[in-house]
Amino acid sequence: MENNLNSYFDKDSGSYKLLVRLQEVRKYGLLIAFVAVCLALSLTTPRFLTIQNLMIIVTQVSINALLAFGVTFVIITGGIDLSIGSMVAVTGVVAATFAHPDEYPVIVPVAVGLLAGLLFGAFNGFVVTRSKVPPFIVTLGTMTIGRGLALILSKGRPVSNLSDSFNFIGGGKILGIPTLIITLIVTFIACTVVLRKTVLGRYMYAVGGNEQAARASGIELSTVKMIVYTLCGGLAALAGILLTSRITTGQPNAGAGFELDAIAAAIIGGTSTSGGTGTMTGTLLGALLIGVISNGLDLLNVTSYYQQVVMGIIIIGAVVLDSVNQIKN
Amino acid sequence: MENNLNSYFDKDSGSYKLLVRLQEVRKYGLLIAFVAVCLALSLTTPRFLTIQNLMIIVTQVSINALLAFGVTFVIITGGIDLSIGSMVAVTGVVAATFAHPDEYPVIVPVAVGLLAGLLFGAFNGFVVTRSKVPPFIVTLGTMTIGRGLALILSKGRPVSNLSDSFNFIGGGKILGIPTLIITLIVTFIACTVVLRKTVLGRYMYAVGGNEQAARASGIELSTVKMIVYTLCGGLAALAGILLTSRITTGQPNAGAGFELDAIAAAIIGGTSTSGGTGTMTGTLLGALLIGVISNGLDLLNVTSYYQQVVMGIIIIGAVVLDSVNQIKN
Amino acid sequence: NQSTTSETSKNGDGKKLVIGATMLSMQNEFIVNVHDEMAKKAEADGIDLITVDAERSALKQVEQVESFIAQHVDAIIMNPCEVEASSPAVAKALAAKIPIINVNSETSTKPSAFVGSDDVESARIAMKFIAEKLGGKGTIVMMHGYMGQAAQIKREQGAREILKQYPNIKLIAHQTAEWDRAKAMSLMENWIQSYGSQINAVFAQNDEMGLGAAKALADAGLKDKVVVVSIDAIPDALQAVQKGTLDATVFQNAQQQGSKAIETAEKIIKGQPYEKETLIPFQLVTKANLSQFMK
Amino acid sequence: MNSNSDYILQVSGLTKTFSGVKALDQVQLAVRKGEVHALMGENGAGKSTLMKILIGLLPADSGEIIFEGAELTAAHVRDVMKKGISMIHQEMLVVPELTVAQNIFLGRETKGKLFSWLDDRTLTKQAAMLLREMDIQIDPSIKMKYLSVAQMQMVEIAKAISNNAKVIIMDEPTSALSEKEVATLFRLIKDLTSKGVAIIYISHKMEEITALADTITVLRDGKYIGTRPASELDMDTLITMMVGRKIESLFPESTTQRGNEILSVKQLTRHGQFTNINFAVHEGEVLGIGGLMGAGRTEVARTIFGLDQPDSGQMYIRGEQADIRSPQDAIRRGIGYVSEDRKGFGFIPRLSVRENITLASLPAHAKGGLVRAASESAVANRMMADLRIKAASPEQFVTFLSGGNQQKVVIGKVLLSSPSIIILDEPTRGIDIGAKAEIYKLIHQLKEAGKAVILISSELPELLGLSDRIVVMAKGKQTAELSAQEASQEVVMHYAMQV
Ligand SMILES: Nc1ncnc2c1ncn2[C@@H]1O[C@H](COP(=O)(O)OP(=O)(O)OP(=O)(O)O)[C@@H](O)[C@H]1O
Ligand SMILES: Nc1ncnc2c1ncn2[C@@H]1O[C@H](COP(=O)(O)OP(=O)(O)OP(=O)(O)O)[C@@H](O)[C@H]1O
Ligand SMILES: [Mg+2]
Ligand SMILES: [Mg+2]
């Protein structure tokens, strides 16, 4: 018995290593799919594997990835946020309104935009925790509300004529690297740390994994959920501000349908809609996969009708490949 | 002790009645919300409560309701189908292609359209049951694929010039009642019967309520899921054919975003995204609620931007009202 | 019948005329402009204008018209989503003896009156400009709107008509950016990767996409070498033409479309003679004639 | 061995591997008609896995199953059940949204043909008849989710029996039952065996094995240890076969004197669940709470722990009135609670053993919100060693542990939140004899360390063996408070049945 137990604890034992490897394999499955797609593209078009093109892909992916990070937090706790696309629009319009040249310093539109996103997210969290309404409905409601707000605030017209310093945020380069990529990397690291290294992150998994057990362990469910939705709002605001800056306009209809892309990235990355599992690395990989496919199809000049078909097939295919590698149950 | 248990058994005891009533209250909550909205509208606009307007509402609701019925089946088994909007487009285009005047009898486009929907749905079911890919991703993929297919089949152009008999299917009236309303009623009854009166319906609840328990009871999970997705495809095809007939055109971009409305109707109607619960009556009520609000806001001439805000608030509000009435766990 | 009784009642006791309007999309800047002009004109003439947003769905539009009919409005103005799919709405209104005026674009079923312009023409104008600018020779790319929508189909048709006349202009790629500026930017970035300096001109089916393409080109330092032309002449696009980032756009007169639509509706209701078809011409906007379009 | 015809079911050479870990290794089993064949072994020995393979829920890697002389290997659940094997599952497999009758006949409605009509009225009638025959008083038309755990378990039993099976597998059928239902079940088993039905019976409760078993097969760590007639096995030999070592006396003698009062409840009431509950616990004392199923003991515990709010009455901690509104309040005030429903309220299935163990005390291992991994791992490893938690590693998901080890993880979690009052609700439910002894020892240690322990248990020997005082509840009322001397099985049962 004792010996037996000790052998289980022996970190050098074959079975232990195997187990750890099997738990990790999920990521590898996706990684394999990702590498396969990249390889296929490198072989079919020489333009794919150039530093410049890879940089462009990451730039294009970054907005979706930021949103996907936010929604990963939410999904891990067992929730969902459909309003992220609308938050992108609201925060973008709000930021743009304060970003005209020679009005306010650039910090103002950024701060106001972020605040708007945090408030919007907090409102989602408030309704989800206070009412017994499923998050799907709450955020479907606020998605509609948010879209309406963005249109009201902008009177249905793009808010343009933004200051150069504001347009730098999402459109500039620092040492040759696009600001979007820098923001993406910094945010990715921050989100990973929150999820893996903090008490809050642990609580997210616990709440999503078994709400009752989390509660019985003294975790305040509503606090965790509030924080998570607020965080998601904040990240959506960041995405909204960057998008607005990149296209140098605050658009009331920006971000429509972004929620699906972001959720797709998270789920392709291994986050389960039933909550309790998911990693930021997976989500990033999911977002990159979508970005690479879309870039590749453009490079190969696939007709737009067929692009959609191919995109759909590859997404399903990648996740199939992923789950074949996965341990059963 | 004996007495205690027997009193549970005693169908006339107060506590038993209370318990049964509490089980039923969920529906009433939504019904109350629905009646409240209708009442408010009747008081604010005289045009609301006219036979003609009510008929219009039901007609307008019918396509969404058909889709919502289909997706209710799927959600009850614990799945989801995001591809219904695309199926509407594919089946509509397919049906329209065979519906030109003097080519085939009207049964041909209907049959071919339905077949296309059933096949599409079966494909969804096949991938969901054969791979370990979550239904969300599978149907997100087929949503994109379906949209591409619809564009390919129609070469990106609306398919028009349809026969009068085909246009009658979704645009005609029988004894003064729009065919859409008749189809809605018939389908509603059929779906209710399937769900409540057949073994299949029972298995849907079982699979969604506790997959392991269903499996341990010898229920073939994959068969039930296959049927459910196929059924959903069939209903989407019905919706697609009716829509095509109503607008006398097969449109490759028809049905975009319909999936959210349909899912919303189901969830507002009390179907839980985690599976195992839901009724067709609830879904119908959910669809009607959305329809009534949208009609009412038009009648009240609420500006479209504010309509979205109000719509969002009412949807959340209705479900809050519903869940306040609900018993806690 | 209903419309005549309401007509007498309003003529009798001075009750306000009611016009129902269903617009393609209130998230489209040009459509919002048309609508605002309609609202302005209606207000000035003391008319009640009920506006609903079809959100680009023909089905919704048909339903909205049905609803207008049930409400016995005096006239309906429809900004159609689709040529064919919005047609049942026209037929229904006419059957209910309510005048229906199409604004901005057409349906296959002839309405009581039409006010607007032909989208095919706008693309012809834009593409012709490109062809002339390139001297009838070069390679170009085209950005589509949302595939399958009327405006996308017609603008593609117009562009291709002109391209046929210039066999030395090669369309090397065409792809949808769904009317969206951000998507257009990404698409252009990818095209630059693919074709680099091969591209001589970009035709975008609306200004939003044109602006996105121009931004991507500017970021890649290619703007001077590539001609970018789009359609709609939204304020941002006019600004861009002034700055030279956009070479040309095609002006569609929202002000005239909006006010003429209301005017025609009024005439029909009051039984006055009216134009069955009011065609408002497109105009090419370049740096040269920009001043007359800037407010 | 005997000729094949004696055996209705024969298993040989069965092997099953889960992600590299051998759960079953060349296991054999032979069951005779009309016998109760007990399958024994520690938590994680592979008993449930073997049974799941038999019933067709899991595929075996290799091996052979012969049922009534015919090969049954790799058959589908439905076919296995049709052939005459049914199973009561260890983890309750019920569909909460369906009624009792619908659950009982799930998969067998009108022969299970998908497109045939349902006749719920007949199903309900049949279920009512079945339940009456079995002397189980549950309304068959009520939804499953409104039943208590015990009632659900009885429904599961009814379901398995109603299949007219020739072999019924019972995987810890009594883990949620109290004495009275256990008696009902035993009577049913006697009935069935007399009709020639074979029962494969899995349980960690030695009394039950002694009372029922004709033959006993023992597994250890996925390996077949041996099969003996029950009459030839004495308890010590059996335990040695299972555990591979000897277990000292189950209930250690206590020498501690009880100290100051820590917790007392006065007139505690929650409408519809319990009324006017009064008791106090002291440092260094184990207070037992006895009663039948549905007595409301769990509800009292939940209320003290802040999971539910009382309608009236007070709680005092060290003499001060305590207003406990949430589990956080309770934990802050030094109360710990191990729920009877470890799947529902105990652990997070997809978190590792380490993460589960430290979940309630995580802030103690964090600085500025950041978890200090080294400190966390250290306490987790220590607790795993202390409680002898058997897992492949601290990083294994708890969902993959056996029931007993899951329970230890939950106890470990509660202990790490350093409570001075510990409520243990059915702490040994589904736990093997070795682990049970360890948990008893642990309760003893807690008491010696001056903690107050509230022990809710339906196992009378355990309740009597460990408690210093026993409060008895019946139908939500407190019917007695007995000292250790006054209490005996008869006395406790007497008060538990009192109206
Ligand atoms: N799905 C699974 N994946 C991985 N390992 C598993 C799985 N199911 C069981 N195991 C492992 O197989 C071994 C046997 O488990 P099993 O449930 O059969 O034990 P048991 O004898 O029934 O224990 P208990 O008495 O606690 O119920 C254990 O080590 C367990 O961790
Ligand atoms: N069929 C039923 N319908 C509704 N409520 C019930 C039913 N059966 C029991 N209850 C309620 O649930 C409570 C019993 O719960 P539970 O069986 O968990 O009590 P317990 O004393 O903790 O028993 P256990 O010994 O199982 O732990 C009772 O107070 C009773 O009101
Ligand atoms: Mg077991
Ligand atoms: Mg209990």
Side-chain angles (χ1 to χ4, degrees):
Chain A
M1 178 81 189
E2 296 287 56
N3 285 336
N4 191 356
L5 263 178
N6 277 334
S7 84
Y8 276 115
F9 272 85
D10 184 358
K11 301 227 169 187
D12 293 323
S13 81
S15 67
Y16 176 82
K17 277 186 183 160
L18 189 76
L19 201 92
V20 171
R21 195 164 314 151
L22 282 169
Q23 287 191 10
E24 297 289 303
V25 107
R26 164 101 219 183
K27 281 176 224 156
Y28 294 140
L30 184 59
L31 202 60
I32 293 167
F34 181 69
V35 171
V37 169
C38 287
L39 216 70
L41 284 172
S42 316
L43 295 178
T44 42
T45 161
R47 295 174 200 104
F48 177 76
L49 211 64
T50 64
I51 300 243
Q52 206 184 359
N53 188 48
L54 295 182
M55 207 117 109
I56 279 177
I57 294 176
V58 181
T59 315
Q60 291 174 356
V61 155
S62 56
I63 303 230
N64 183 31
L66 292 180
L67 295 170
F69 294 156
V71 89
T72 300
F73 285 129
V74 176
I75 299 179
I76 285 177
T77 63
I80 190 81
D81 191 343
L82 298 176
S83 70
I84 45 181
S86 295
M87 288 197 273
V88 165
V90 173
T91 55
V93 165
V94 168
T97 314
F98 290 91
H100 298 304
D102 308 322
E103 283 187 1
Y104 304 98
V106 69
I107 186 74
V108 174
V110 174
V112 176
L114 280 175
L115 191 69
L118 292 170
L119 282 177
F120 199 117
F123 180 74
N124 279 335
F126 180 79
V127 180
V128 166
T129 52
R130 286 306 135 113
S131 72
K132 295 215 168 297
V133 180
F136 187 95
I137 290 291
V138 172
T139 56
L140 187 74
T142 55
M143 160 178 153
T144 315
I145 295 174
R147 186 63 58 193
L149 280 182
L151 287 161
I152 293 170
L153 291 173
S154 66
K155 300 189 186 63
R157 294 187 170 78
V159 182
S160 48
N161 181 26
L162 311 184
S163 70
D164 286 344
S165 51
F166 182 80
N167 287 341
F168 178 81
I169 299 171
K173 284 184 183 183
I174 295 174
L175 302 174
I177 302 169
T179 49
L180 277 177
I181 297 188
I182 297 172
T183 319
L184 175 67
I185 294 171
V186 171
T187 317
F188 170 67
I189 294 172
C191 289
T192 308
V193 168
V194 167
L195 202 53
R196 293 186 48 181
K197 300 284 174 199
T198 68
V199 175
L200 177 64
R202 181 75 50 82
Y203 285 1
M204 291 180 195
Y205 285 112
V207 169
N210 183 345
E211 201 167 295
Q212 291 309 324
R215 184 163 167 247
S217 302
I219 298 171
E220 188 99 60
L221 300 181
S222 50
T223 312
V224 175
K225 290 185 184 175
M226 270 303 286
I227 293 177
V228 151
Y229 282 96
T230 311
L231 216 60
C232 184
L235 283 163
L238 188 58
I241 293 165
L242 290 170
L243 179 75
T244 304
S245 167
R246 177 161 148 90
I247 62 174
T248 67
T249 346
Q251 295 235 344
N253 54 3
F258 280 21
E259 57 281 351
L260 273 189
D261 282 344
I263 296 171
I267 297 182
I268 290 174
T271 309
S272 151
T273 39
S274 49
T277 53
T279 61
M280 286 299 157
T281 320
T283 298
L284 181 62
L285 221 48
L288 282 172
L289 182 68
I290 297 177
V292 164
I293 299 172
S294 144
N295 172 274
L297 292 175
D298 277 352
L299 291 192
L300 291 171
N301 197 17
V302 176
T303 333
S304 58
Y305 308 158
Y306 289 94
Q307 270 209 13
Q308 304 203 36
V309 176
V310 176
M311 175 72 119
I313 293 174
I314 297 186
I315 285 184
I316 298 179
V319 184
V320 169
L321 186 62
D322 184 25
S323 55
V324 166
N325 275 291
Q326 213 183 328
I327 8 167
K328 283 177 205 163
N329 215 347
Chain B
M1 182 69 196
E2 296 288 59
N3 285 336
N4 186 3
L5 274 173
N6 277 332
S7 85
Y8 276 119
F9 225 148
D10 182 359
K11 304 227 167 186
D12 294 323
S13 82
S15 68
Y16 178 82
K17 278 187 181 159
L18 188 76
L19 204 87
V20 171
R21 196 163 313 152
L22 283 171
Q23 289 191 15
E24 298 293 304
V25 108
R26 166 101 221 185
K27 282 176 225 158
Y28 294 141
L30 183 60
L31 201 60
I32 293 167
F34 181 70
V35 170
V37 170
C38 287
L39 216 72
L41 284 172
S42 316
L43 294 177
T44 42
T45 161
R47 297 189 204 96
F48 177 74
L49 211 65
T50 64
I51 300 244
Q52 205 184 357
N53 188 49
L54 295 183
M55 207 117 109
I56 282 179
I57 294 176
V58 180
T59 316
Q60 293 177 354
V61 156
S62 55
I63 296 203
N64 183 30
L66 291 181
L67 295 170
F69 293 156
V71 88
T72 300
F73 285 128
V74 176
I75 299 178
I76 285 177
T77 63
I80 190 84
D81 191 344
L82 298 175
S83 70
I84 44 180
S86 294
M87 287 198 274
V88 165
V90 173
T91 56
V93 166
V94 168
T97 313
F98 290 89
H100 299 305
D102 308 322
E103 283 188 3
Y104 303 98
V106 68
I107 186 74
V108 174
V110 174
V112 176
L114 280 176
L115 191 69
L118 291 169
L119 282 175
F120 199 118
F123 180 75
N124 280 334
F126 180 80
V127 181
V128 166
T129 51
R130 286 307 137 110
S131 72
K132 294 214 169 298
V133 180
F136 187 95
I137 289 293
V138 172
T139 56
L140 188 74
T142 54
M143 162 178 152
T144 316
I145 295 173
R147 188 63 59 195
L149 279 182
L151 285 162
I152 293 170
L153 291 173
S154 65
K155 302 191 183 62
R157 284 179 171 65
V159 181
S160 51
N161 181 28
L162 311 185
S163 70
D164 287 344
S165 49
F166 183 80
N167 288 341
F168 178 81
I169 299 171
K173 283 184 184 185
I174 295 174
L175 302 173
I177 303 169
T179 48
L180 277 176
I181 297 188
I182 297 172
T183 318
L184 174 66
I185 295 172
V186 172
T187 317
F188 170 67
I189 294 172
C191 290
T192 308
V193 167
V194 168
L195 201 53
R196 294 184 49 181
K197 297 287 171 197
T198 69
V199 174
L200 176 65
R202 175 68 37 82
Y203 287 4
M204 292 181 193
Y205 284 113
V207 169
N210 186 343
E211 203 167 292
Q212 290 313 317
R215 208 161 84 85
S217 302
I219 296 173
E220 193 93 59
L221 299 181
S222 50
T223 310
V224 175
K225 289 185 184 173
M226 269 304 287
I227 294 178
V228 151
Y229 282 95
T230 311
L231 215 61
C232 184
L235 283 163
L238 188 59
I241 293 165
L242 290 170
L243 173 92
T244 303
S245 165
R246 186 154 149 80
I247 60 176
T248 67
T249 329
Q251 277 193 305
N253 53 5
F258 279 20
E259 56 280 352
L260 271 189
D261 282 344
I263 297 171
I267 296 182
I268 290 174
T271 309
S272 153
T273 38
S274 48
T277 54
T279 60
M280 287 297 156
T281 320
T283 299
L284 181 63
L285 220 51
L288 283 172
L289 183 68
I290 297 177
V292 164
I293 298 172
S294 144
N295 173 275
L297 292 174
D298 275 353
L299 290 189
L300 291 171
N301 197 15
V302 177
T303 335
S304 70
Y305 305 160
Y306 288 92
Q307 270 204 19
Q308 303 204 32
V309 175
V310 176
M311 176 72 119
I313 293 174
I314 297 186
I315 285 183
I316 297 178
V319 185
V320 168
L321 187 60
D322 184 25
S323 57
V324 165
N325 274 291
Q326 216 183 326
I327 11 163
K328 284 174 209 162
N329 213 349
Chain C
N1 112 357
Q2 288 293 344
S3 64
T4 41
T5 43
S6 64
E7 194 179 319
T8 41
S9 73
K10 119 202 52 133
N11 287 346
D13 51 28
K15 212 172 147 199
K16 269 177 143 186
L17 285 175
V18 180
I19 297 178
T22 159
M23 309 301 287
L24 164 72
S25 165
M26 291 299 278
Q27 296 188 29
N28 175 303
E29 192 178 9
F30 176 76
I31 304 295
V32 173
N33 286 340
V34 172
H35 171 257
D36 286 359
E37 295 300 338
M38 281 165 50
K40 221 188 277 169
K41 173 81 173 147
E43 166 114 39
D45 295 0
I47 294 170
D48 243 354
L49 184 69
I50 306 174
T51 313
V52 292
D53 184 354
E55 292 167 11
R56 296 193 186 275
S57 157
L59 174 67
K60 202 157 185 191
Q61 191 152 51
V62 173
E63 293 171 354
Q64 286 167 339
V65 169
E66 282 174 356
S67 205
F68 284 145
I69 296 169
Q71 292 175 56
H72 309 299
V73 296
D74 298 298
I76 296 168
I77 294 178
M78 177 163 79
N79 169 209
C81 294
E82 293 294 337
V83 180
E84 288 297 335
S86 296
S87 285
V90 175
K92 281 183 176 161
L94 294 178
K97 303 225 160 48
I98 296 178
I100 179 162
I101 295 96
N102 282 356
V103 66
N104 180 252
S105 59
E106 297 169 66
T107 54
S108 63
T109 306
K110 287 277 159 269
S112 317
F114 170 75
V115 177
S117 15
D118 181 8
D119 255 327
V120 180
E121 180 61 20
S122 65
R124 286 192 201 115
I125 294 171
M127 195 50 93
K128 200 167 237 152
F129 175 82
I130 291 177
E132 278 160 12
K133 191 98 178 170
L134 297 183
K137 200 164 143 296
T139 40
I140 65 165
V141 292
M142 170 160 63
M143 284 188 183
H144 295 288
Y146 199 90
M147 299 309 290
Q149 281 178 358
Q152 181 270 321
I153 295 170
K154 291 191 157 189
R155 288 176 187 183
E156 180 177 3
Q157 184 193 335
R160 288 194 188 272
E161 276 175 24
I162 301 297
L163 281 176
K164 260 198 205 110
Q165 301 165 16
Y166 293 91
N168 290 332
I169 295 182
K170 234 179 85 199
L171 180 67
I172 47 170
H174 58 105
Q175 201 67 257
T176 180
E178 299 175 2
W179 305 124
D180 184 81
R181 202 182 292 197
K183 289 204 172 100
M185 206 171 147
S186 293
L187 178 59
M188 196 65 224
E189 286 169 350
N190 292 344
W191 272 341
I192 294 170
Q193 290 309 305
S194 277
Y195 307 109
S197 47
Q198 253 179 286
I199 303 170
N200 301 120
V202 180
F203 168 53
Q205 290 177 358
N206 79 346
D207 281 339
E208 286 291 348
M209 297 192 293
L211 291 165
K215 178 87 187 337
L217 287 165
D219 287 352
L222 289 171
K223 184 57 209 74
D224 306 334
K225 302 185 187 96
V226 184
V227 178
V228 182
V229 177
S230 52
I231 299 175
D232 280 348
I234 60 172
D236 265 12
L238 296 178
Q239 290 275 336
V241 171
Q242 188 171 38
K243 278 194 230 148
T245 46
L246 202 62
D247 294 86
T249 178
V250 179
F251 176 76
Q252 216 186 152
N253 198 328
Q255 192 267 327
Q256 276 201 39
Q257 290 193 6
S259 58
K260 276 267 162 38
I262 295 283
E263 216 176 283
T264 312
E266 277 184 89
K267 281 184 183 159
I268 300 177
I269 298 167
K270 292 184 181 142
Q272 296 164 357
Y274 62 95
E275 297 274 343
K276 264 225 121 36
E277 224 178 56
T278 314
L279 279 179
I280 294 152
F282 287 100
Q283 283 166 277
L284 185 74
V285 185
T286 59
K287 226 172 193 162
N289 64 350
L290 184 67
S291 53
Q292 57 184 106
F293 301 98
M294 297 281 271
K295 279 174 203 162
Chain D
M1 283 214 183
N2 297 21
S3 75
N4 282 356
S5 60
D6 259 20
Y7 294 101
I8 185 163
L9 181 74
Q10 282 178 303
V11 175
S12 55
L14 214 64
T15 298
K16 174 76 187 172
T17 315
F18 286 115
S19 50
V21 182
K22 267 207 171 117
L24 293 176
D25 188 4
Q26 295 286 332
V27 166
Q28 64 189 74
L29 179 71
V31 181
R32 282 193 190 84
K33 252 180 225 161
E35 75 166 347
V36 175
H37 194 121
L39 188 57
M40 306 284 295
E42 286 188 293
N43 293 129
K47 306 179 295 291
S48 298
T49 306
L50 175 57
M51 294 301 115
K52 281 185 190 158
I53 292 172
L54 269 184
I55 197 82
L57 273 175
L58 282 178
D61 297 344
S62 63
E64 193 182 43
I65 304 166
I66 310 279
F67 177 64
E68 292 191 307
E71 175 105 7
L72 196 68
T73 318
H76 186 268
V77 203
R78 196 163 14 117
D79 304 325
V80 177
M81 292 203 302
K82 262 192 202 139
K83 288 215 169 86
I85 305 180
S86 59
M87 176 164 174
I88 301 166
H89 292 267
Q90 179 178 9
E91 61 279 18
M92 229 160 301
L93 290 182
V94 300
V95 184
E97 289 291 334
L98 295 183
T99 67
V100 170
Q102 290 166 351
N103 265 284
I104 290 179
F105 291 107
L106 189 62
R108 295 181 284 131
E109 309 84 349
T110 62
K111 302 206 171 60
K113 288 209 186 75
L114 278 181
F115 296 101
S116 41
W117 291 101
L118 274 178
D119 184 359
D120 266 322
R121 195 168 301 189
T122 310
L123 285 190
T124 309
K125 249 186 228 149
Q126 282 174 355
M129 216 151 69
L130 182 73
L131 291 170
R132 199 165 332 113
E133 263 170 31
M134 295 170 52
D135 201 17
I136 302 171
Q137 271 114 355
I138 296 170
D139 180 350
S141 62
I142 213 163
K143 275 193 185 172
M144 209 66 179
K145 63 176 173 183
Y146 298 116
L147 299 190
S148 67
V149 191
Q151 288 173 313
M152 286 188 201
Q153 186 69 288
M154 288 312 279
V155 173
E156 289 262 279
I157 292 168
K159 178 176 178 177
I161 289 177
S162 69
N163 193 25
N164 291 323
K166 294 168 192 148
V167 175
I168 302 180
I169 301 163
M170 301 188 173
D171 195 349
E172 306 194 27
T174 59
S175 59
L177 301 185
S178 61
E179 309 277 325
K180 189 176 165 289
E181 296 89 39
V182 172
T184 309
L185 175 67
F186 280 19
R187 209 187 53 240
L188 289 169
I189 291 177
K190 290 263 151 64
D191 262 20
L192 290 164
T193 46
S194 70
K195 288 179 201 151
V197 177
I199 310 279
I200 303 177
Y201 195 91
I202 302 175
S203 176
H204 293 295
K205 297 180 185 168
M206 289 299 173
E207 327 78 85
E208 296 182 356
I209 303 302
T210 322
L212 287 174
D214 300 310
T215 315
I216 298 177
T217 293
V218 176
L219 299 182
R220 193 198 313 148
D221 291 329
K223 292 193 186 67
Y224 173 76
I225 301 297
T227 303
R228 308 278 166 79
S231 50
E232 288 174 18
L233 266 182
D234 63 277
M235 188 69 93
D236 280 348
T237 324
L238 176 58
I239 291 175
T240 313
M241 279 173 84
M242 285 166 54
V243 189
R245 66 186 154 91
K246 277 200 158 40
I247 299 246
E248 321 83 69
S249 78
L250 274 177
F251 305 114
E253 271 305 310
S254 167
T255 49
T256 9
Q257 288 296 306
R258 78 179 202 193
N260 299 325
E261 178 187 298
I262 302 191
L263 170 81
S264 68
V265 301
K266 298 232 161 74
Q267 301 294 104
L268 204 64
T269 299
R270 201 172 135 79
H271 299 314
Q273 293 184 329
F274 53 85
T275 32
N276 297 340
I277 305 298
N278 293 289
F279 61 75
V281 252
H282 303 77
E283 290 171 348
E285 180 188 45
V286 177
L287 175 73
I289 304 185
L292 296 174
M293 80 157 192
R297 297 166 298 170
T298 297
E299 282 68 20
V300 172
R302 285 176 56 93
T303 307
I304 294 174
F305 190 61
L307 281 163
D308 296 322
Q309 297 306 308
D311 292 316
S312 65
Q314 300 84 39
M315 277 180 263
Y316 297 90
I317 293 177
R318 297 183 203 284
E320 260 179 64
Q321 182 160 351
D323 186 19
I324 295 170
R325 316 218 114 263
S326 66
Q328 291 96 287
D329 281 351
I331 291 172
R332 211 175 304 126
R333 289 169 188 275
I335 304 176
Y337 174 57
V338 177
S339 163
E340 63 176 342
D341 177 4
R342 63 172 165 263
K343 219 174 175 184
F345 290 87
F347 60 90
I348 318 282
R350 293 261 161 185
L351 283 186
S352 67
V353 174
R354 166 179 58 86
E355 289 165 323
N356 266 286
I357 282 191
T358 57
L359 193 61
S361 54
L362 200 57
H365 308 291
K367 207 171 176 181
L370 283 176
V371 178
R372 288 179 301 165
S375 146
E376 191 201 358
S377 282
V379 289
N381 285 338
R382 183 148 31 81
M383 190 51 84
M384 282 180 75
D386 285 355
L387 298 183
R388 294 162 173 261
I389 294 172
K390 193 172 146 191
S393 91
E395 301 311 315
Q396 188 173 22
F397 286 152
V398 173
T399 187
F400 294 138
L401 298 190
S402 69
N405 284 302
Q406 290 175 344
Q407 181 72 333
K408 288 185 193 169
V409 169
V410 177
I411 294 178
K413 173 183 78 177
V414 170
L415 290 185
L416 274 184
S417 70
S418 41
S420 47
I421 306 152
I422 298 158
I423 309 170
L424 299 167
D425 194 351
E426 310 283 3
T428 61
R429 179 175 283 175
I431 284 187
D432 70 55
I433 182 88
K436 225 178 232 178
E438 284 164 19
I439 286 177
Y440 294 160
K441 212 195 292 167
L442 184 77
I443 293 174
H444 183 68
Q445 283 166 2
L446 291 171
K447 178 178 156 179
E448 302 276 303
K451 312 269 185 199
V453 177
I454 299 175
L455 172 69
I456 301 174
S457 175
S458 300
E459 269 189 75
L460 286 178
E462 163 179 312
L463 195 69
L464 294 166
L466 290 167
S467 310
D468 296 309
R469 275 182 307 129
I470 296 175
V471 165
V472 186
M473 287 178 64
K475 290 183 68 188
K477 292 198 186 69
Q478 188 171 344
T479 48
E481 185 177 325
L482 308 167
S483 70
Q485 291 78 10
E486 292 169 287
S488 68
Q489 300 223 5
E490 293 72 29
V491 175
V492 172
M493 278 312 276
H494 168 77
Y495 286 110
M497 315 260 295
Q498 211 172 62
V499 179

